[in-house]
Amino acid sequence: MAEKILDVQGLETQFKTPEGIVHAVNGVSIHLDEGETLGLVGESGCGKSVTMLSILRLIQSPPGQIVAGKAIFKGSDLLAMSQEEIRQVRGGQISMIFQDPMTSLNPVMNIGKQMAEPMLLHLGITPKEARERSIKLLESVGIPRAGERLKDYPHQYSGGMRQRVMIAMALSCNPQILIADEPTTALDVTIQAQIVDLVIRLRQELGMAIIWITHDLGVAASIANRIAVMYGGFIIEEAAVKELYANPSHPYTLGLINSLPQIQRKGRQRLYSIEGMPPILLQTPKACPFAPRCRWVREKCWQQNPMLESIGENHKVACWVDTTTGSER
Amino acid sequence: MKTDNDILVKIENLVMHFPIYRGVIRRQVGAVRAVDGVSLEIRQGETLGLVGESGCGKTTVGRTILQLYKPTSGHVYYKGTDLAKLKPEPMRLMRKDLQMIFQDPYASLNPRMTVRDIIGDPMFAFGEASGKQIDERVQELLKLVRLDPDFANRYPHEFSGGQRQRIGVARALTTNPSFIVCDEPISALDVSIQAQVVNLLEDLQRDLGLTYLFIAHDLSMVRHISDRVAVMYLGVVVELADRNEIYDNPLHPYTKALLSAIPVPDPTFYETRQRIILEGDVPSPANPPSGCRFRTRCPIADESCALERPEFREVSPGHFVACIKVGMQTNTKEVINQESV
Ligand SMILES: Nc1ncnc2c1ncn2[C@@H]1O[C@H](COP(=O)(O)OP(=O)(O)O)[C@@H](O)[C@H]1O
Ligand SMILES: Nc1ncnc2c1ncn2[C@@H]1O[C@H](COP(=O)(O)OP(=O)(O)O)[C@@H](O)[C@H]1O
Ligand SMILES: [Mg+2]
Ligand SMILES: [Mg+2]
């Protein structure tokens, strides 16, 4: 039995805006086992980034506020730590890479300095050692002439190379958890494939656990061991990767998987489509957030939001309806 | 030029270079060779898919076909007419037939215009309709793209991305065009909305007899929507074939790499798949490699690939490829499989 390295319970995060309170994350519970890769999947605005930023305490307040929940990392609650304690964890034991490397790289500082900084803070090594380690890391992520390139600035790297630099930086302090927020979304498919392969290789070498956020069910299938699907600020389904794609059970997951064209499919079938639009998160959610778009919807779904319940080994779903039979669970 | 009734758009040796200027006197120091010798035929009623990584010249091909750019050289024929030779007035009228749907549903609609004015604008521009006729046409078009006709007096910011893209589609249809360049129309949309828009485009094609050039970087969606697919790399088309042929029997090493990089939503697929991981990045189009443009990243390239631009030749009926290594097909396959992974 694998040990839980991270255990998030009942996380709720809201934003105060002129239009009202945005209920971005509405009681999310997820865990991460040691050494596993969890794929966090869902469309834009469903709360993936806010969930991760909350765990790392990177939500700006105001307008944001974590209103409830715990995030237990190795026995202590990240959400209850002092600023100083969380700073020690962030960028050290837990590190993060983002969709756009330019938002997290300093444009006026060369790569060598930027790489050395967190190592000096977290590892307590000398600048010379940090430099040597930087070169090794850059080489391991496939940056040619790494020694020379330390003095280059971010804009002198291509998009794919910058994302490699970000990965090297994220790994520099031997993290136990790597959180990757859509790190390949802005990249072309061939570069995306390079990055995914790189992370799979590094994960084998270093044995860290990964949370990989994506809206792309294809990318998630290629890298994750287990998948959690988010909708409207809730986790609506969670399963081992093969189980999820073989038996998607929430109407939303089912719809998403069926709406993708199958590359192996020869004939020209009409795509399955989920009608309607993703929810606006301005009300306190009482009904199931997917009810307005669901073809299985019934009275109960409007009155009570279903909890995430186990429906089999390694498979949980939040839905009143058994989509295989069409009757209530 | 051969006149073939079946062919709606014919592009011959299309070249589009954007000059690069430097210094205070803005001297030209080079050119971005965005499109560098592309020949394609688009048949009446079909969807031709155009795929390739960002910056390879897809949008430029689309815009040059529509004469939004004046090509550096080469020809674009529409129903046999050389568009570059048309005088301004006939070209203006020709524009009714040739339309475009844009990638970004947020940037492509004027935020200060109502939906009615956005959709009706092409009718104003051609100055041939009364206000009432425009109102009626706008209502009709909104219904056609499955939006509520009552939305006519609203502004773009009141709509979601998927709804805006429908407005963009309606605007493209205002003048009853025959040919539409769809430039990554679903790339910016949420996954659950993409299928809605693709289904709409397919229905409109069937009902109105439209011909599409469908530009995309999502290869699985392109297979779904296209009849034939052209693959571009750094300003040139490297392969062209029927949709099933190109996915089942890709010949160009770049096409193979691109297909092997598609993220497939099926975890069992990854247990057996052999990925061809390309090294490095795409070179700059201002300074492309000599000979074959793909040779700097190609797993099977050798010195001979640097010598000449490979000819775009038909290796089996309807299947074109630009690679000197393709010919003894089985050989190429073996070599690539050895070098992959
Ligand atoms: N700073 C903020 N102010 C107001 N609303 C926000 C803010 N950040 C995020 N949100 C809202 O929270 C919801 C979840 O956002 P996010 O977690 O970024 O989604 P995603 O799943 O795309 O990563 C969205 O509706 C978004 O608009
Ligand atoms: N108006 C322009 N001026 C200068 N360069 C351009 C212009 N439009 C496109 N380019 C360049 O031409 C190349 C091809 O661009 P584009 O056709 O937009 O590619 P794609 O649509 O395949 O991403 C790119 O290098 C791009 O920077
Ligand atoms: Mg996000
Ligand atoms: Mg483009």
Side-chain angles (χ1 to χ4, degrees):
Chain A
M1 193 58 200
E3 291 276 315
K4 278 184 195 172
I5 187 165
L6 179 69
D7 194 3
V8 179
Q9 296 159 14
L11 178 69
E12 278 178 54
T13 305
Q14 301 174 348
F15 294 91
K16 281 208 177 68
T17 70
E19 287 79 41
I21 292 176
V22 175
H23 299 261
V25 175
N26 298 311
V28 159
S29 299
I30 37 168
H31 71 274
L32 183 67
D33 284 336
E34 243 165 83
E36 87 165 331
T37 300
L38 172 72
L40 187 58
V41 174
E43 296 178 83
S44 60
C46 72
K48 306 179 297 294
S49 297
V50 170
T51 300
M52 291 306 136
L53 293 171
S54 303
I55 293 170
L56 291 177
R57 302 261 299 279
L58 290 170
I59 295 288
Q60 249 197 21
S61 179
Q65 202 191 348
I66 300 172
V67 294
K70 285 185 182 150
I72 310 295
F73 171 66
K74 298 206 302 185
S76 29
D77 184 0
L78 298 173
L79 303 187
M81 280 181 180
S82 70
Q83 285 299 334
E84 184 46 38
E85 287 169 316
I86 189 80
R87 238 196 307 277
Q88 283 299 326
V89 173
R90 226 190 283 142
Q93 293 160 290
I94 305 180
S95 63
M96 194 153 176
I97 47 180
F98 298 93
Q99 175 173 343
D100 180 5
M102 283 315 259
T103 59
S104 27
L105 288 171
N106 182 342
V108 298
M109 194 192 273
N110 72 38
I111 292 295
K113 277 221 179 75
Q114 296 193 51
M115 285 199 71
E117 229 167 45
M119 290 192 254
L120 299 176
L121 174 72
H122 294 287
L123 300 181
I125 56 179
T126 67
K128 185 163 168 290
E129 286 166 332
R131 189 189 140 80
E132 279 159 15
R133 189 167 160 75
S134 300
I135 295 174
K136 271 218 196 81
L137 284 160
L138 289 179
E139 280 169 352
S140 77
V141 297
I143 305 274
R145 299 178 293 108
E148 294 165 44
R149 301 228 53 187
L150 284 180
K151 59 180 187 310
D152 284 347
Y153 290 83
H155 72 267
Q156 291 167 291
Y157 288 76
S158 69
M161 287 294 161
R162 275 201 290 266
Q163 204 51 286
R164 285 163 189 269
V165 170
M166 285 304 300
I167 292 171
M169 284 172 79
L171 298 179
S172 64
C173 301
N174 302 317
Q176 286 158 307
I177 300 177
L178 173 68
I179 297 175
D181 191 354
E182 311 231 16
T184 61
T185 299
L187 304 174
D188 277 314
V189 283
T190 65
I191 309 295
Q192 170 169 282
Q194 288 175 1
I195 300 287
V196 167
D197 272 45
L198 170 69
V199 171
I200 289 175
R201 197 192 81 217
L202 292 169
R203 148 180 103 181
Q204 277 157 4
E205 285 169 23
L206 306 174
M208 72 231 163
I210 301 174
I211 300 179
W212 188 280
I213 301 177
T214 177
H215 65 266
D216 187 324
L217 284 158
V219 173
S222 72
I223 199 165
N225 308 117
R226 193 159 55 86
I227 304 233
V229 183
M230 277 191 90
Y231 189 84
F234 295 91
I235 306 273
I236 52 96
E237 186 159 9
E238 191 193 307
V241 65
K242 282 191 195 164
E243 168 67 12
L244 187 94
Y245 289 82
N247 300 309
S249 298
H250 193 284
Y252 176 65
T253 319
L254 201 60
L256 266 192
I257 290 180
N258 288 337
S259 72
L260 300 173
Q262 310 252 290
I263 194 76
Q264 302 97 326
R265 195 188 284 162
K266 291 228 159 111
R268 238 175 140 169
Q269 284 142 314
R270 198 177 164 78
L271 294 175
Y272 180 98
S273 91
I274 305 175
E275 295 308 318
M277 285 177 285
I280 298 158
L281 306 169
L282 284 172
Q283 289 126 30
T284 320
K286 274 205 306 279
C288 168
F290 191 62
R293 304 175 75 185
C294 184
R295 35 183 95 180
W296 280 275
V297 69
R298 56 199 61 205
E299 198 45 44
K300 192 169 182 181
C301 308
W302 296 108
Q303 280 150 13
Q304 212 181 339
N305 185 12
M307 305 279 286
L308 200 58
E309 304 275 4
S310 212
I311 58 160
E313 206 186 335
N314 294 323
H315 199 157
K316 289 182 199 160
V317 66
C319 182
W320 296 121
V321 180
D322 179 345
T323 47
T324 55
T325 62
S327 52
E328 248 169 68
R329 284 190 194 283
Chain B
M1 175 203 148
K2 177 179 97 198
T3 46
D4 190 335
N5 282 338
D6 216 24
I7 289 170
L8 190 68
V9 179
K10 184 180 168 86
I11 311 164
E12 260 177 14
N13 263 318
L14 193 67
V15 174
M16 185 67 222
H17 290 180
F18 295 105
I20 304 169
Y21 300 103
R22 287 269 155 70
V24 262
I25 55 162
R26 307 259 305 145
R27 198 164 50 88
Q28 188 181 340
V29 293
V32 176
R33 298 158 77 152
V35 175
D36 215 11
V38 164
S39 300
L40 286 172
E41 291 174 345
I42 306 173
R43 298 173 190 153
Q44 173 73 48
E46 81 166 340
T47 298
L48 177 69
L50 186 60
V51 298
E53 293 172 276
S54 55
C56 72
K58 305 179 296 296
T59 296
T60 307
V61 167
R63 300 186 73 106
T64 316
I65 292 177
L66 301 187
Q67 305 289 305
L68 298 171
Y69 296 139
K70 186 176 160 10
T72 308
S73 64
H75 300 277
V76 177
Y77 300 96
Y78 176 72
K79 292 184 173 162
T81 306
D82 187 340
L83 294 182
K85 296 222 173 86
L86 281 183
K87 298 243 157 48
E89 184 54 21
M91 185 61 223
R92 203 178 70 85
L93 293 175
M94 190 66 102
R95 289 204 183 282
K96 287 208 257 180
D97 251 19
L98 310 167
Q99 290 292 335
M100 187 150 180
I101 300 168
F102 299 90
Q103 169 169 5
D104 187 344
Y106 293 88
S108 59
L109 304 178
N110 185 336
R112 282 178 298 274
M113 279 164 82
T114 62
V115 168
R116 182 221 182 246
D117 289 347
I118 289 169
I119 298 177
D121 191 48
M123 293 176 83
F124 282 122
F126 289 102
E128 57 189 20
S130 69
K132 184 157 172 283
Q133 281 170 317
I134 292 176
D135 283 334
E136 281 168 9
R137 179 78 179 135
V138 168
Q139 300 280 312
E140 187 181 294
L141 287 163
L142 283 173
K143 278 184 228 154
L144 200 58
V145 298
R146 294 174 211 143
L147 286 174
D148 187 339
D150 292 344
F151 288 170
N153 292 320
R154 299 198 187 170
Y155 289 87
H157 72 88
E158 299 175 61
F159 297 93
S160 69
Q163 289 173 322
R164 285 181 210 215
Q165 200 52 295
R166 286 165 196 268
I167 296 168
V169 172
R171 176 181 57 185
L173 294 174
T174 306
T175 57
N176 261 321
S178 308
F179 176 67
I180 301 182
V181 173
C182 308
D183 190 2
E184 310 217 23
I186 57 165
S187 305
L189 302 179
D190 273 330
V191 189
S192 76
I193 307 299
Q194 291 187 352
Q196 294 176 6
V197 173
V198 165
N199 286 343
L200 173 68
L201 289 172
E202 287 183 323
D203 292 348
L204 292 170
Q205 178 170 50
R206 187 195 56 220
D207 298 343
L208 307 174
L210 299 169
T211 302
Y212 291 145
L213 177 67
F214 190 90
I215 297 173
H217 61 254
D218 177 342
L219 284 109
S220 32
M221 201 54 102
V222 164
R223 178 181 199 170
H224 171 82
I225 201 170
S226 307
D227 297 294
R228 294 185 303 140
V229 176
V231 180
M232 270 189 94
Y233 185 80
L234 212 54
V236 296
V237 173
V238 297
E239 189 161 6
L240 169 71
D242 282 356
R243 55 191 285 270
N244 287 332
E245 170 73 5
I246 205 151
Y247 287 85
D248 295 343
N249 186 27
L251 296 176
H252 198 284
Y254 178 62
T255 312
K256 293 184 186 198
L258 210 52
L259 289 176
S260 87
I262 299 178
V264 177
D266 175 6
T268 57
F269 184 81
Y270 294 93
E271 293 167 0
T272 52
R273 145 141 98 184
Q274 301 234 324
R275 280 231 221 206
I276 304 166
I277 299 288
L278 292 178
E279 302 280 317
D281 292 311
V282 183
S284 158
N287 188 17
S290 67
C292 172
R293 304 205 154 181
F294 183 56
R295 69 179 165 82
T296 53
R297 296 172 80 201
C298 181
I300 59 167
D302 59 29
E303 313 83 64
S304 60
C305 299
L307 302 177
E308 271 180 70
R309 287 268 293 261
E311 186 198 347
F312 191 56
R313 61 207 160 88
E314 192 166 13
V315 287
S316 62
H319 193 157
F320 295 80
V321 64
C323 174
I324 58 170
K325 300 278 171 191
V326 173
M328 291 165 298
Q329 294 180 17
T330 44
N331 271 351
T332 325
K333 258 188 202 153
E334 272 163 29
V335 179
I336 290 198
N337 284 342
Q338 271 170 21
E339 307 226 347
S340 62
V341 180

